[in-house]
Amino acid sequence: MTASSGVDERRSIVENGTWYTVDHPSAVGRVRRAASVVARDLGFDEDRAAKVGIVVSELATNQVKHAGSGRVLVRVCRTGDAAELEMLAVDSGPGMRDITAAMQDGVSTRGTLGIGLGTVPRLASSWDAWTSPGQGTVIAATFAGRGTVAGPRRPTGVTRPMTGQEACGDAFAVRHDAGIATLMVADGLGHGPLAAAASGAAVRTFLDAPSGSPVALLERVHGALPGTRGAAVSIAQVNGGVLRYAGLGNISGTVHGDRARGLVSHPGIAGVPTRQLRETTYPVERGDVVVMHSDGLTNRWSLADYPGLAARSPLVVAGVLLRDHAVRPDDSCVAVLPVTWSET
């Protein structure tokens, strides 16, 4: 079926974007200018681009003044002809007791532009945040292009290249077929451009393949990667109360609900001859969260350590986990698939 049939068939391409370190007031201007350039490249008019600059300035200034330092990700998400600018601000500062109050207009952070974090909900198309005293703050803001609607609750992820590298060998991708969301995480062997080429081939194959089960999609990806370095690849798909999962290699998958349950990934590398691929099913409930990540993150974490985080948007969840657990000298990727569906 085609998109003209009215069936939800979306393919989202998320550019890796650029991470900016914010450790001095001078860095605020750098990230503001960069975000404004991206906005104009997307066709935003000068007024809209200026609003993007205001929001990223407030987020970055807040990091310098209250956390001492932080990082801001600026990237573009494309779905068909539509495009959105996304920014993610992460810090490990003192955190806040009441993020809702801080997001009210007129509540100014000390020494900022004087307009406060209230600019985020007022100027962004959508936003979300998580913070807790002593656990830092993560804020996501999305700016939709003309005629598009930002969706903060959609499945997504975050990647970051190994220190000293520009290309990231880890990648993720999301597709929807007739309302069914499917998420893939790929980790190209090694790091640098060749690893990025392998994970990029996995993403293209995954998005271009006909709709199917995770194991069918994994077979497609596996068959497309000979000639590359190969990659660890895992694919998760939620349909009603059932999670279907197929993994090859060291991608970690977990379902978080009343308890945490690990997902089975089999030994091997996509693109290298291996035994028959297999798929596993798991019962899930609305409100559960599926988290997948490469081995650039440690496995020693739990959403239970972050009060209320499981209810936040996937971009915020991914940002918190990447901030705290991507501590290995490697590329890193974490992606989040919330379990939601409509009753029929």
Side-chain angles (χ1 to χ4, degrees), residues 162-188:
M162 177 179 173
T163 301
Q165 295 285 333
E166 293 187 3
C168 184
D170 292 356
F172 72 93
V174 181
R175 58 183 286 166
H176 292 78
D177 300 280
I180 298 173
T182 307
L183 173 67
M184 182 192 75
V185 170
D187 177 358

Side-chain angles (χ1 to χ4, degrees), residues 13-164:
I13 307 293
V14 179
E15 298 177 358
N16 285 337
T18 302
W19 284 95
Y20 297 90
T21 299
V22 181
D23 56 3
H24 187 271
S26 62
V28 176
R30 178 170 176 249
V31 68
R32 181 186 68 245
R33 290 188 294 272
S36 297
V37 167
V38 173
R40 287 191 290 270
D41 287 346
L42 285 178
F44 289 13
D45 60 28
E46 287 301 317
D47 179 65
R48 186 74 166 147
K51 290 177 179 177
V52 169
I54 290 171
V55 169
V56 76
S57 291
E58 184 60 36
L59 292 174
T61 302
N62 194 66
Q63 291 181 336
V64 173
K65 293 294 183 181
H66 298 286
S69 65
R71 303 189 80 182
V72 176
L73 170 67
V74 179
R75 72 183 191 186
V76 173
C77 176
R78 301 182 187 274
T79 304
D81 294 331
E84 298 170 353
L85 186 154
E86 296 179 333
M87 58 181 67
L88 182 68
V90 303
D91 70 61
S92 300
M96 301 179 231
R97 292 190 178 277
D98 190 346
I99 186 67
T100 303
M103 290 293 184
Q104 298 297 315
D105 263 330
V107 179
S108 177
T109 52
R110 173 172 50 90
T112 70
L113 296 174
I115 45 186
L117 289 175
T119 58
V120 178
R122 180 163 53 83
L123 299 182
S125 300
S126 64
W127 71 279
D128 192 32
W130 181 86
T131 185
S132 183
Q135 291 186 294
T137 301
V138 173
I139 302 174
T142 302
F143 294 83
R146 188 180 301 276
T148 66
V149 177
R153 300 295 173 180
R154 63 172 176 246
T156 193
V158 182
T159 62
R160 191 171 68 197
M162 177 179 173
T163 301

